[in-house]
Amino acid sequence: MIATCRDYELTLRHTFRIARSATDLAENVLVTVEHGGLTGIGEAHPNDYHGEDHHRVHSALDFFCHWLSAHPELAEPLQSISNQQSAISNLLNSLPPEVKSILGAVGALDIAFHDLVGQRLGKPLWELFGADPAKAPVTSFTIGIAPVPVMQEKVREAERYPLLKIKVGTGRDLEILEGIRAVTDKPLRVDANAAWTVEEAIRNIRAIEPFGIEFIEQPIPPGDPDGLRRVRQAVATPIIVDESVTASGDIPPLAGAADGINIKLMKCGGLHEARRMIELARSLGLKVMLGCFIESSVAITAAAHLSPLVDYADLDGHLLITNDPYDGVALDPHGRLILPHRPGLGLLPRA
Ligand code: MG
């Protein structure tokens, strides 16, 4: 197996602003793994909230590419037809610490290994996961923070997307929700990105509830399940946590403190861990959402293959950029995810 990686800068259509940051581009890394005449593709987005940046992700993947050339035998189990899922799991477990500690890099490799295995078996990933593509959910489309008239314009531009996710956490959130509701009656999800205290969250959520909110994402900073429980008990709107959860180990304390969790491949280290998280969350009575960062169709399509297994999808990163290098998951006229039926991820390079 040969692995190569290259930087790929994604250009955003609009500056993307959330409660704590704003950005015009995303410095992602694409990785390819070639084995047995097939090529798997993966993508990493540096998750800055959890201390990763472009340099660390690029270095980890670069390290992997060199490390792999000295350990070609590790890829051999991927050649066998049976038990390829455990071959992926073993390969991920055997990654050196320089790579394993950077979850964005692990996520990219996990995606590329899955793509390779799907192609080897001649099956789309959703089939390997036992998912029914007819059950893929509608994805929300995110409206970043901006002056209200600009947010209203973005809502008008998002005409083809039936479900909107509104970023808040500004000190003028009521004004934002009033402005959005003045121009649309679509279902709204709201993401505060950890911006509020417990008291502010209770007050702010109660204030915006009359606008008809499907759920609120991450009202308070992570690490405070008791605070989260207080917010949840004081409001009628379901609470989904995002920044509070990276991987499986974070889930048990959230049972009863939140209504659901937002899983992202770049937080948890890929599809293998995401599947474990879905199972664990379900067993604890938590709803599951699949989210993303600013990612191309590579990572978004990977997550989309899991989407029939979850309740909510927020897989719109590739819709926010102007230079997507691939075609993969598509949307039907109702915003529902259409999963590729080609083997593996099912990506096609764009001309
Ligand atoms: Mg979020």
Side-chain angles (χ1 to χ4, degrees):
M1 183 157 68
I2 301 167
T4 51
C5 66
R6 68 181 171 109
D7 293 342
Y8 192 85
E9 207 165 82
L10 300 175
T11 309
L12 282 151
R13 240 174 261 285
H14 299 287
T15 299
F16 187 70
R17 187 179 298 277
I18 66 171
R20 63 176 167 267
S21 62
T23 183
D24 290 303
L25 52 85
E27 295 181 288
N28 291 10
V29 185
L30 294 177
V31 60
T32 55
V33 289
E34 295 173 58
H35 191 53
L38 301 170
T39 301
I41 304 169
E43 178 181 15
H45 172 89
N47 173 5
D48 56 357
Y49 190 74
H50 293 102
E52 298 187 0
D53 59 17
H54 172 77
H55 175 73
R56 298 184 73 187
V57 169
H58 177 95
S59 300
L61 286 171
D62 200 45
F63 185 95
F64 171 80
C65 294
H66 291 99
W67 174 84
L68 184 67
S69 59
H71 300 82
E73 73 287 354
L74 285 173
E76 288 316 312
L78 291 179
Q79 283 289 94
S80 86
I81 289 298
S82 64
N83 240 339
Q84 298 234 355
Q85 297 292 318
S86 66
I88 292 177
S89 159
N90 291 340
L91 191 45
L92 292 170
N93 280 331
S94 60
L95 291 175
E98 290 87 342
V99 181
K100 222 187 226 177
S101 58
I102 306 293
L103 289 171
V106 178
L109 294 173
D110 164 284
I111 292 169
F113 296 153
H114 276 88
D115 188 22
L116 202 57
V117 161
Q119 291 180 50
R120 172 114 190 104
L121 299 177
K123 291 179 178 172
L125 291 187
W126 53 260
E127 192 177 336
L128 301 191
F129 300 154
D132 175 359
K135 294 193 174 143
V138 172
T139 180
S140 48
F141 182 83
T142 303
I143 306 292
I145 294 170
V148 171
V150 177
M151 292 181 80
Q152 289 176 320
E153 186 51 36
K154 288 187 191 175
V155 169
R156 289 189 198 100
E157 273 179 38
E159 192 188 352
R160 64 170 294 220
Y161 307 113
L163 191 53
L164 301 177
K165 176 161 134 176
I166 312 297
K167 293 287 191 179
V168 299
T170 61
R172 54 186 177 87
D173 296 334
L174 192 56
E175 187 194 327
I176 287 175
L177 265 297
E178 277 169 354
I180 300 290
R181 262 295 170 246
V183 294
T184 185
D185 57 5
K186 289 176 183 174
L188 301 180
R189 299 167 177 178
V190 168
D191 189 354
N193 285 109
W196 299 328
T197 64
V198 170
E199 288 68 30
E200 284 169 342
I202 293 170
R203 192 169 62 240
N204 293 347
I205 295 169
R206 283 178 176 165
I208 62 176
E209 278 180 336
F211 294 106
I213 309 296
E214 187 185 11
F215 58 72
I216 308 272
E217 208 177 309
Q218 197 70 43
I220 65 169
D224 182 12
D226 291 336
L228 209 51
R229 199 181 304 269
R230 278 166 55 209
V231 175
R232 182 174 181 236
Q233 283 167 354
V235 303
T237 309
I239 309 285
I240 306 288
V241 285
D242 177 355
E243 285 86 342
S244 291
V245 56
T246 53
S248 304
D250 302 318
I251 299 176
L254 296 165
D259 293 279
I261 61 164
N262 186 350
I263 297 174
K264 296 178 179 172
L265 301 185
M266 298 299 132
K267 285 194 297 185
C268 73
L271 294 158
H272 183 73
E273 176 64 12
R275 292 175 70 199
R276 287 177 44 185
M277 293 174 76
I278 293 170
E279 261 181 46
L280 179 58
R282 291 261 182 256
S283 74
L284 295 170
L286 291 160
K287 297 271 192 192
V288 180
M289 171 175 179
L290 269 173
C292 63
F293 294 96
I294 307 299
E295 296 158 15
S296 80
S297 280
V298 176
I300 297 290
T301 301
H305 280 283
L306 284 177
S307 68
L309 306 175
V310 307
D311 303 288
Y312 313 112
D314 180 34
L315 296 175
D316 65 344
H318 64 315
L319 304 173
L320 306 175
I321 60 172
T322 58
N323 59 340
D324 196 338
Y326 289 92
D327 282 314
V329 64
L331 296 184
D332 80 2
H334 309 289
R336 192 170 302 283
L337 299 165
I338 305 172
L339 307 188
H341 284 243
R342 295 178 292 274
L345 288 172
L347 298 173
L348 292 173
R350 285 199 175 174

